Amino acid sequence: MADLKLLFEAILKGKQKDAVEITQQAINENIAPKELIDNYLIKAMEEIGSRFEQQKAFVPELLMAGRAMKSSLILLQPLLKGGDEKSGLGTVVIGTVKGDLHDIGKNLVGSMFEGCGFQVIDLGVDADSDKFISAVKEHQPDVIGLSALLTTTMPYMKTIIDALEEAGLRQQVKVMVGGAPVSAGFAAEIGADGYSDSANSAVVRAKELLGITH
Ligand code: B12
């Protein structure tokens, strides 16, 4: 029997190989992917996130945990798609805005969306408005997530929102913004639909915006 507490520990400690092994064992034992994601993967990311907030964990640990989680998710995702698990909640296009290379938080948010059953298109870092516009046209996402960690790149979030307006695409997509210097006030000021300060609450907020109740 797969010891799922060890899956939690493996992700928390960023042990990618262990996380993959235990996940594969759990899959072989027909444990529901949703159970693994909700009760172990996300719980471990919440724990590392809260340790980070309390300065009991640091960026390398966050990165390693994120990588371990992603490796587990890669095994679980194909199983989510076919079944009646909470797949297909919607599509999220996410990226760090132009001029900004910080992607740790953006990756965590993307992983959390994926873990919760959204399809995620990651535009990477230094993404300009053209890249977002093309992605909206191509993927018809429900949500766009913009990340910025620098006070100098935050204003570019408004540039992207304005570009969406100009392209006539603003009404078809919810825009969420985040990153350490971003606030709810700033989000409202630039006309974003939502803001969140953590990966977990980002998903909760997105579901609220989309009227998803489960
Ligand atoms: C790691 C780091 C780097 C790494 C980035 C590596 C990487 N791959 O991301 C490196 C070394 C490359 C780097 C470079 C620079 N950095 Co730096 N960096 C940081 C540091 C230490 C941590 C950021 C981080 O990853 N936090 C952890 C994640 C989990 O938190 P987060 O990003 O806030 O994300 C969470 C939430 O905000 C939210 N969220 C994030 N994105 C989104 C998106 C959406 C849609 C939603 C809903 C939510 C959401 O959810 C996330 C998960 O909980 C911060 C200091 C700090 N303590 O914040 C400085 C910091 C951000 N950097 C800073 C600076 C100045 C720079 C440089 C300009 C330094 C230089 N002189 O070269 C360059 C800029 C490069 C560039 N063009 O982007 C400053 C910014 C100051 C400011 N006011 O603008 C900071 C604050 C350090 C400081 N105190 O001075 N940096």
Side-chain angles (χ1 to χ4, degrees), residues 48-128:
I48 192 78
S50 109
R51 287 187 192 182
F52 179 77
E53 276 157 25
Q54 297 164 41
Q55 298 185 348
K56 289 181 186 158
F58 300 95
V59 170
E61 281 125 320
L62 269 182
L63 274 179
M64 285 166 70
R67 205 162 40 202
M69 182 201 186
K70 204 139 202 186
S71 306
S72 284
L73 263 185
I74 287 170
L75 294 177
L76 295 168
Q77 268 161 355
L79 307 173
L80 284 175
K81 278 179 191 140
D84 57 358
E85 304 285 354
K86 44 177 188 172
S87 60
L89 286 188
T91 300
V92 180
V93 163
I94 194 165
T96 301
V97 304
K98 186 177 165 187
D100 202 318
L101 303 176
H102 295 86
D103 68 355
I104 298 170
K106 184 259 302 164
N107 292 346
L108 278 176
V109 173
S111 296
M112 203 60 94
F113 270 110
E114 272 178 353
C116 294
F118 285 83
Q119 191 198 351
V120 174
I121 316 289
D122 188 344
L123 302 183
V125 296
D126 194 23
D128 65 11

Side-chain angles (χ1 to χ4, degrees), residues 141-145 164 169-176 192-194 206 208-210:
D142 304 280
V143 177
I144 294 184
L164 284 167
L169 299 168
R170 179 66 186 94
Q171 296 309 316
Q172 71 179 58
V173 68
K174 302 289 181 197
V175 178
M176 291 187 65
D193 299 299
E208 279 170 12
L209 289 171
L210 299 174

